[in-house]
C-alpha cells in the first residue's frame, strides 16, 4: 500500500509559478512510477506528467511540455511538480498517482494503483 498526499496548490496570476509536492508513505516508494494528473469539473481527469522510479525517465503532455518539470527525491519519498508560466487553462485539481514500476511509463489513469486526494491550482488572468 502507498498513501499519497499532495500539497502546494493555491492561487497564482497568469505567468506565475507554483511547486506541487507529493509525499508518499511506505518503504517501497522507490519501486513506483509517479504520475501527475489534473481535472476540472465536468471533464475527464487528464495526464500531465510522469516520472519513473529512478527519475531517469519522464513524460509530459504536450500542453505542459517546456513549462512544467517533474522530479523526485526517493530519500524523502517525494515527487515534485514545478509549474512555470502558468495559464488560466492550467486551473484544475492536481492529483499524484503511483504505479508499481514496469518497463515503460504510462499516461493511462486506470493503470495507476494509488491516488492522492488532490490539491487545487487556480490561475487568474
Amino acid at each position: 500500500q502507498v498513501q499519497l498526499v499532495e500539497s502546494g496548490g493555491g492561487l497564482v496570476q497568469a505567468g506565475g509559478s507554483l511547486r506541487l509536492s507529493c509525499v508518499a508513505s511506505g518503504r517501497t516508494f522507490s519501486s513506483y512510477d509517479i504520475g501527475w494528473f489534473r481535472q476540472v469539473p465536468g471533464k475527464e481527469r487528464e495526464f500531465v506528467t510522469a516520472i519513473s522510479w529512478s527519475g531517469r525517465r519522464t513524460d509530459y503532455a504536450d500542453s505542459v511540455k517546456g513549462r512544467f518539470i517533474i522530479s523526485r527525491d526517493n530519500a524523502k519519498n517525494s515527487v515534485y511538480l514545478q509549474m512555470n508560466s502558468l495559464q488560466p487553462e492550467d486551473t484544475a485539481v492536481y492529483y499524484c498517482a503511483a504505479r508499481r514500476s514496469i518497463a515503460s511509463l504510462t499516461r493511462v489513469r486506470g493503470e495507476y494503483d494509488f491516488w492522492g486526494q488532490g490539491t487545487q491550482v487556480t490561475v487568474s488572468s
Side-chain angles (χ1 to χ4, degrees):
Q1 281 279 359
V2 175
Q3 293 184 321
L4 304 170
V5 179
E6 304 97 333
S7 63
L11 174 64
V12 64
Q13 288 189 327
S17 298
L18 280 175
R19 188 193 195 209
L20 305 184
S21 297
C22 173
V23 179
S25 64
R27 292 174 291 178
T28 59
F29 175 73
S30 60
S31 301
Y32 288 83
D33 297 337
I34 302 294
W36 283 96
F37 290 75
R38 65 188 182 186
Q39 189 170 24
V40 297
K43 290 194 174 181
E44 299 263 321
R45 191 170 297 187
E46 67 172 3
F47 172 80
V48 176
T49 182
I51 190 166
S52 64
W53 68 272
S54 65
R56 286 196 288 266
R57 287 178 287 128
T58 58
D59 184 26
Y60 294 92
D62 287 345
S63 58
V64 306
K65 199 172 293 184
R67 299 188 298 124
F68 290 12
I69 301 170
I70 189 170
S71 62
R72 69 188 293 161
D73 184 343
N74 286 341
K76 295 182 178 180
N77 277 15
S78 296
V79 171
Y80 307 102
L81 181 60
Q82 178 66 43
M83 304 187 296
N84 302 318
S85 302
L86 283 162
Q87 299 302 316
E89 52 265 35
D90 295 315
T91 295
V93 177
Y94 283 71
Y95 299 88
C96 65
R99 170 187 186 237
R100 189 169 287 278
S101 186
I102 53 176
S104 58
L105 295 173
T106 180
R107 298 184 174 195
V108 179
R109 67 180 185 270
E111 295 185 4
Y112 287 83
D113 303 306
F114 305 102
W115 291 82
Q117 83 290 346
T119 186
Q120 176 71 48
V121 171
T122 302
V123 184
S124 63
S125 57

